[in-house]
Amino acid sequence: MQVLDRISRFIGSTFAYWVLLFAIVAFLVPAGFTWLAAYITPLLGIVMFGMGLTLSLKDFKEVFTRPKDVLIGVLFHFIIMPGIAFLLTLVFHVRPEVAVGVILVGCCPSGTSSNVMTYLAKGDTALSVAVTTVSTLLAPIVTPFLIWVLASKWVDVSFSDLFFSIVEIIFVPIILGVIVKLLLGKKIEAGIKALPIVSVIAIIAILSAVVSINQALIAKSGLIIFAMVILHNCCGLALGFFGARLLRMPEPKQKAIAIEVGLQNSALGASIATAHFSPLAAVPSAIFSIWHNISGALVANWFSKHTKESVHESIDDTKSSTSAI
């Protein structure tokens, strides 16, 4: 058990490097990874099932004990990131597929890597987990609605198709994970220890599939998409932080809100793009998945070294090591 725990911690702490490594390999040798494209949706389902296994009543209690903080985090996330994405598509005159892809990743819920980054940043980890949980559970309604509002000028968007797809990919696996944990209790603890390993493998497989099937398109349009992704992520982090500061939230909460706003469930974006739009629309999500783990780690490191309050809230080890998306 201790060996498995150490392996999980190592993989979780080096996740950004593995993502970058396999993205490069998939780009250089696409033929070795294209077969994974058929498994993108079930792979993400596995990650979401793992998230369900890590949830507890404490996480939901947090929502009701301080609803204002959680509401601020969720509203900031679903207003700032989609808004920035839409503005970027107006500034950069890109192909419709790329515009849809940028908007798509902007409309996704928070990525669970935000919980790890908030913990490392000495931020309010409990708030981070609560915001991630709520934004993820709201995704079947909010994400399709935002995509329909912002992307309809480029493509036909079916709210109902997106709704049922996100329910299948996210909501059902999470609920199943919660049910399994309630039924098995401590019997499932050994399995939870292995979740970081399984989740990292699944996310890397999704990313590798998207990069491999879009290798030629990335080679042609990758630089401008990368620039848009960096601006998107950095603006989200900055606006989340300064927005929380304007509301006079304590420093640990400012860190949590900043990271919650800036980091997306980009694997969901890649899955939706592949299933409902075009392979090129999945490229922004793939690049975001690489970049936000790098930027998140850098921001967390900077926050941890420039903290004014010695607040470093603890979190269950398996929770803080859960999948990075």
Side-chain angles (χ1 to χ4, degrees), residues 113-272:
S113 60
S114 60
N115 306 155
V116 183
M117 301 305 177
T118 301
Y119 176 80
L120 295 175
K122 300 180 180 178
D124 190 333
T125 310
L127 175 60
S128 174
V129 173
V131 172
T132 299
T133 302
V134 173
S135 68
T136 301
L137 294 177
L138 288 176
I141 298 292
V142 178
T143 297
F145 174 74
L146 290 172
I147 295 171
W148 174 72
V149 170
L150 300 175
S152 292
K153 66 174 290 186
W154 289 286
V155 294
D156 291 329
V157 178
S158 172
F159 177 90
S160 60
D161 287 349
L162 290 176
F163 169 78
F164 287 113
S165 182
I166 296 175
V167 167
E168 178 186 355
I169 296 170
I170 283 189
F171 196 77
V172 172
I174 287 177
I175 296 303
L176 287 175
V178 172
I179 293 172
V180 168
K181 184 177 181 180
L182 289 173
L183 291 176
L184 298 182
K186 292 185 178 180
K187 295 179 182 178
I188 200 69
E189 285 184 2
I192 293 176
K193 289 287 184 182
L195 280 178
I197 302 173
V198 175
S199 296
V200 166
I201 292 173
I203 294 165
I204 288 175
I206 293 170
L207 172 64
S208 300
V210 173
V211 170
S212 65
I213 63 177
N214 289 287
Q215 192 261 5
L217 296 171
I218 292 173
K220 184 177 180 180
S221 307
L223 286 178
I224 191 168
I225 298 175
F226 204 88
M228 294 176 74
V229 164
I230 292 176
L231 283 171
H232 192 188
N233 172 246
C234 291
C235 288
L237 289 165
L239 289 176
F241 179 78
F242 288 111
R245 174 166 287 189
L246 281 173
L247 294 176
R248 300 183 181 277
M249 299 180 81
E251 187 183 70
K253 293 181 182 180
Q254 293 174 21
K255 296 175 182 179
I257 297 298
I259 294 172
E260 280 301 310
V261 171
L263 274 61
Q264 301 290 89
N265 187 336
S266 46
L268 174 63
S271 180
I272 295 174

Side-chain angles (χ1 to χ4, degrees), residues 51-66:
M51 179 180 176
L53 286 176
T54 65
L55 292 177
S56 65
L57 293 177
K58 179 184 175 182
D59 300 321
F60 295 100
K61 181 181 178 182
E62 198 71 31
V63 177
F64 297 103
T65 54
R66 44 176 172 167

Side-chain angles (χ1 to χ4, degrees), residues 296-309:
L298 292 173
V299 167
N301 183 60
W302 191 89
F303 275 155
S304 68
K305 292 180 178 179
H306 296 80
T307 184
K308 295 178 182 178
E309 299 176 25

